[in-house]
Amino acid sequence: SSEVLEAIENVVQGVFQSLAQKKAPVLTVANRTDWRNIEFKDSVGLQMIPSCTTKQIRSDCPQTARRFALMLKILSMIYKMVQSNTYATKRDIYYSDTLLFGSQSVVDQIINDISCMLKIPRRSLHVLSTTKGFVAGNLCYTEEDGTKVNCTCSGTVFTVPSNVQGIKNLTSHAKFILIVEKDATFQRLLDDDFFSKVSPCIMITGRGIPDLNTRLLVRKLWDSFQIPIFTLMDADPHGVEILCVYKYGSVSMSFEAHHLTVPSVKWLGLLPSDLKRLNICKDALIPFTKQDENKLSSILKRPYIACQPLWKKELEIMAASKLKAEIQVLTSLSSDYLSRVYLPNKLQFGGWL
């Protein structure tokens, strides 16, 4: 905490020094969303380069003066929380003065900018994310406040903890971890008692694009158990994007890649080649939109696709057919095909990439 307080004090001191010299104070932040500032490393995923380009948040410029003021406001809130050892969610910060901040996304972006500028993980800033992910299966752990969580009871779902770093005493007999893209598929697998029928496993869903806590939990489980991690996504560009976030990280959070990415994650399904192999009726598939085409072409250009020739092949099958499929398409074969046939066969015969 003293490191965080000192980092904030240094920023404020810089503001005072500028004012003392009759200069307009400036905050300098990295261009977090610029691909030119990102490098790809097999062992880490997408990470920010040390000499990345920056942008200035000036106090004397009409375009950035408001953002400058909001950054100082949030820095002061963080400083008080670290001093008093209290925590707040990004939502709490937004609702502390909705008129001032204007929108939740403004608060989210500023907190990420501050974390990147200070080179301090968001958790250490005492800012928690609201969690939307779920976890179930063969896993027990103790939360920071001493609450014991036992996920092994059949059909029981737990929300991913809001303080993943604080959980301890993790125990599991799981043979693998299954990340499921959508809540509906996750619930279906729970109803079919999948995680105890095939072999003990841990199931996680970020319910779409995963939030920070879900990604932190996947990383913590990998660090703790070193067991295979498989992903079950829709066979569409959006599903592939989500898979890439778990495996290689995202551009906007590349400055925290070392805590978030799990490059050993495998793509289990739904593969574009599975659709042909399983003779899925074309009427059950969905035509691409222009947005899908743009997303897929952007993914194909990314640095990590070059070292994944089998992925590239699957994406090219998708691009050539201009058709996509949701995991639910497997119910056209039988209502429990996913849990009874598809997943057991894939896991037994190594049908992942």
Side-chain angles (χ1 to χ4, degrees), residues 20-277:
Q21 293 162 8
K22 303 221 169 357
K23 289 181 189 166
V26 170
L27 296 174
T28 305
V29 297
N31 276 324
R32 290 187 297 110
T33 53
D34 190 335
W35 273 94
R36 288 169 299 184
N37 286 334
I38 307 299
E39 65 178 355
F40 170 65
K41 254 192 168 171
D42 241 357
S43 57
V44 182
L46 300 175
Q47 60 177 9
M48 193 171 270
I49 58 173
S51 55
C52 67
T53 60
T54 56
K55 57 185 177 187
Q56 290 195 325
I57 314 291
R58 299 190 62 85
S59 58
D60 61 346
C61 167
Q63 282 81 19
T64 59
R66 176 178 159 73
R67 195 170 188 87
F68 178 91
L70 293 180
M71 282 185 79
L72 284 187
K73 167 74 175 169
I74 291 178
L75 277 167
S76 77
M77 293 172 84
I78 290 169
Y79 193 86
K80 281 177 192 160
M81 289 192 297
V82 174
Q83 264 190 327
S84 59
N85 196 25
T86 54
Y87 290 83
T89 64
K90 294 184 297 180
R91 208 167 168 73
D92 294 334
I93 291 173
Y94 168 59
Y95 278 108
S96 69
D97 199 332
T98 53
L99 285 175
L100 176 68
F101 294 120
S103 76
Q104 181 70 61
S105 63
V106 167
V107 172
D108 296 355
Q109 283 166 16
I110 287 176
I111 287 164
N112 285 341
D113 277 342
I114 287 172
S115 176
C116 185
M117 177 176 75
L118 301 179
K119 294 184 170 54
I120 289 169
R122 195 159 75 194
R123 165 75 204 162
S124 303
L125 300 176
H126 285 227
V127 178
L128 304 171
S129 306
T130 312
T131 300
K132 65 184 176 96
F134 291 146
V135 60
N138 196 291
L139 176 68
C140 299
Y141 57 86
T142 308
E143 291 199 353
E144 191 181 34
D145 62 1
T147 308
K148 287 184 168 55
V149 177
N150 180 0
C151 305
T152 46
C153 310
S154 180
T156 311
V157 176
F158 288 88
T159 303
V160 168
S162 59
N163 175 9
V164 174
Q165 276 97 329
I167 66 174
K168 50 189 183 291
N169 308 329
L170 287 91
T171 57
S172 177
H173 303 294
K175 297 286 182 278
F176 63 91
I177 295 162
L178 182 66
I179 299 171
V180 182
E181 177 186 347
K182 284 182 177 163
D183 190 23
T185 310
F186 181 83
Q187 297 293 345
R188 178 67 214 232
L189 289 171
L190 274 180
D191 293 344
D192 292 348
D193 207 16
F194 170 76
F195 68 81
S196 56
K197 270 185 189 162
V198 179
S199 69
C201 74
I202 299 166
M203 292 200 321
I204 292 178
T205 179
R207 299 163 77 197
I209 294 171
D211 58 74
L212 193 69
N213 292 327
T214 304
R215 290 174 64 191
L216 283 168
L217 181 62
V218 171
R219 177 59 195 252
K220 182 141 191 153
L221 293 173
W222 165 248
D223 289 339
S224 304
F225 305 123
Q226 302 275 309
I227 52 177
I229 302 180
F230 301 113
T231 55
L232 182 61
M233 306 282 153
D234 287 341
D236 66 9
H238 188 65
V240 176
E241 175 81 275
I242 291 169
L243 158 63
C244 293
V245 168
Y246 283 109
K247 187 175 176 75
Y248 295 125
S250 59
V251 174
S252 63
M253 292 299 289
S254 58
F255 64 95
E256 270 207 59
H258 287 269
H259 310 289
L260 294 171
T261 58
V262 186
S264 60
V265 161
K266 302 280 186 276
W267 186 7
L268 185 72
L270 188 60
L271 303 178
S273 59
D274 289 339
L275 304 174
K276 192 174 180 186
R277 184 175 61 82

Side-chain angles (χ1 to χ4, degrees), residues 294-311:
N294 294 342
K295 170 75 77 183
L296 186 55
S297 114
S298 135
I299 292 171
L300 278 162
K301 288 179 194 139
R302 292 190 193 163
Y304 42 71
I305 297 299
C307 66
Q308 289 283 3
L310 295 176
W311 281 32

